[in-house]
Amino acid sequence: MTAIAALVLGLAGARQTPDRTLTVFAAASLKESFTAIAQRYEATHPNTSVKLSFAGSQQLAAQIKAGAEVDVFAAAARSQLLAAGKFVSGVRDVA
């Protein structure tokens, strides 16, 4: 969970602006971890809200390819991140 938190906080912190919504797509298997991370992030960044969307990684990748705007995409496997193709940058393995 620490590695995942570092990824989310690192990516989000660089683009934070006041009254901003950070949109996170995460694999359903990460729901508990990312919910806790989002709560912690919002507590320490009061001008930012975190909008979480959980589903199967392939479904999320398809949404990204179809034009869904997201700030963070956490898939269950690297291959699913790569399935989002050119729409995903900065792929990092965290576990």
Side-chain angles (χ1 to χ4, degrees):
M1 185 165 149
T2 302
I4 294 170
L7 172 65
V8 172
L9 297 177
L11 290 176
R15 296 172 47 179
Q16 181 181 341
T17 59
D19 302 319
R20 181 166 198 281
T21 298
L22 179 66
T23 303
V24 178
F25 277 13
S29 61
L30 300 172
K31 185 173 185 172
E32 184 177 337
S33 297
F34 270 77
T35 298
I37 292 166
Q39 291 170 347
R40 184 174 176 189
Y41 189 85
E42 288 176 334
T44 58
H45 298 83
N47 292 331
T48 303
S49 65
V50 179
K51 178 182 175 190
L52 299 169
S53 293
F54 299 102
S57 296
Q58 290 176 327
Q59 181 182 2
L60 296 171
Q63 290 179 33
I64 293 168
K65 287 177 83 170
E69 294 185 25
V70 301
D71 297 298
V72 176
F73 175 34
R78 184 178 185 82
S79 61
Q80 293 156 337
L81 285 172
L82 299 176
K86 67 180 181 180
F87 303 100
V88 175
S89 64
V91 174
R92 297 183 202 175
D93 292 317
V94 294

